[in-house]
């Protein structure tokens, strides 16, 4: 059974710092991995999707990497801003059914 | 291109009642998935519909049901509401192909009293 873990559960850093969020999964047989952000009480915004054949994806200040063999993905945020404060979730799709398996999220606070 | 829309955005119901939530996917998307989000359990998969057929189902009781119409719009129904059904219900749409990137709506906040 696929399990997804995100460490740390919470992170608080000063504005301007570069930071890394981690996501690990137990079964490497995945179709893709997707990173989302969720603002309090709101829905989910898709940030990056990495296909199983890819190693990384970039969008602006965000870079996500995928290492299937070790069951790990990282989300790198460059030059963090207070507007980046949110909960970041990773999810994988794999196996015979097309459902997202979720991590519990990392709550990120960027201090001005 | 319009995003995923969900109605209503907020709902208050009493235990024992039933509720129907609606989701309109992004134009051209044929897959709609439903998720329940609670502080204690996090995000949990309810079910997925693709071309009007339920393709996958999570581990929720039969009180939770859904359907999808020919225009890909989907509804989720919860009967005999319990206090524990209070949650944010999220709908996601996708082309349904192997890349399966999902796009989420703003959610419906259901409170059961």
């Amino acid at each position: 059974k696929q399990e997804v873990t995100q460490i740390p559960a919470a992170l608080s850093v000063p504005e301007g710092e570069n930071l890394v969020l981690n996501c690990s999964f137990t079964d490497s047989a995945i179709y893709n991995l997707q990173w989302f952000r969720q603002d309090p009480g709101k829905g989910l915004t898709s940030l990056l999707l990495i296909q199983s054949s890819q190693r990384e994806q970039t969008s602006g200040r965000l870079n996500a990497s995928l290492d299937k063999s070790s069951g790990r993905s990282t989300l790198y945020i460059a030059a963090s801003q207070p507007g980046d404060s949110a909960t970041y979730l990773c999810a994988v799709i794999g196996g015979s059914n097309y459902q997202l398996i979720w991590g519990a999220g990392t709550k990120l606070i960027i201090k001005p | 291109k319009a995003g995923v829309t969900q109605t209503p955005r907020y709902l208050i119901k009493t235990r024992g009642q039933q509720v129907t939530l609606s989701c309109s996917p992004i134009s051209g998307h044929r897959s709609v998935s439903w998720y329940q989000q609670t502080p204690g359990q996090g995000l949990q998969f309810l079910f997925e519909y693709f071309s009007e057929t339920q393709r996958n189902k999570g581990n929720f009781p039969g009180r939770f049901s859904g359907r999808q119409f020919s225009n890909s719009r989907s509804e989720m129904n919860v009967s005999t509401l319990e206090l524990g059904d209070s949650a944010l219900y999220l709908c996601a749409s996708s082309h349904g192909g192997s890349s399966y990137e999902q796009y989420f709506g703003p959610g419906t906040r259901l409170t059961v009293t």
Side-chain angles (χ1 to χ4, degrees):
Chain A
K1 179 187 169 187
Q2 179 73 272
E3 292 183 358
V4 180
T5 304
Q6 290 187 248
I7 295 173
L11 184 62
S12 179
V13 300
E15 179 179 6
E17 283 201 4
N18 303 323
L19 56 98
V20 173
L21 306 181
N22 297 294
C23 173
S24 61
F25 46 96
T26 55
D27 186 348
S28 62
I30 64 170
Y31 291 116
N32 62 45
L33 183 145
Q34 200 167 352
W35 282 93
F36 296 88
R37 105 172 237 166
Q38 186 174 33
D39 293 285
K42 302 288 181 63
L44 298 163
T45 301
S46 178
L47 297 173
L48 290 163
L49 171 80
I50 310 178
Q51 304 277 9
S52 62
S53 59
Q54 298 174 323
R55 294 299 301 268
E56 67 178 320
Q57 282 287 335
T58 298
S59 176
R61 295 182 294 108
L62 305 179
N63 176 278
S65 68
L66 174 64
D67 183 344
K68 277 179 54 178
S69 61
S70 65
R72 294 186 60 191
S73 175
T74 61
L75 179 66
Y76 175 83
I77 302 176
S80 59
Q81 303 169 358
D84 294 330
S85 298
T87 296
Y88 290 79
L89 297 120
C90 73
V92 300
I93 288 183
S96 57
N97 55 12
Y98 295 94
Q99 61 168 288
L100 286 167
I101 308 297
W102 296 89
T106 294
K107 184 174 182 179
L108 177 64
I109 297 173
I110 307 298
K111 297 175 288 186
Chain B
K1 205 179 215 183
V4 179
T5 59
Q6 291 186 246
T7 57
R9 294 291 313 279
Y10 302 92
L11 206 49
I12 300 175
K13 289 286 189 178
T14 304
R15 268 182 306 176
Q17 288 186 314
Q18 75 164 19
V19 66
T20 299
L21 311 182
S22 180
C23 172
S24 292
I26 291 171
S27 177
H29 284 188
R30 296 165 64 190
S31 168
V32 173
S33 298
W34 289 89
Y35 296 85
Q36 181 195 67
Q37 187 178 33
T38 59
Q41 299 295 320
L43 276 153
Q44 294 185 286
F45 172 74
L46 281 155
F47 29 66
E48 183 225 359
Y49 286 86
F50 181 81
S51 294
E52 302 180 64
T53 301
Q54 188 181 85
R55 187 160 68 170
N56 291 297
K57 188 177 188 303
N59 297 320
F60 276 80
R63 299 185 297 107
F64 292 81
S65 63
R67 59 178 176 168
Q68 186 179 34
F69 302 95
S70 59
N71 62 357
S72 292
R73 188 178 71 86
S74 177
E75 288 183 347
M76 188 191 90
N77 184 274
V78 187
S79 62
T80 319
L81 284 165
E82 301 177 358
L83 294 178
D85 297 333
S86 295
L88 180 66
Y89 289 88
L90 293 162
C91 157
S93 81
S94 164
H95 283 293
S98 59
S99 71
Y100 220 70
E101 183 166 9
Q102 296 202 14
Y103 298 86
F104 281 79
T108 294
R109 172 74 63 185
L110 172 64
T111 302
V112 182
T113 62

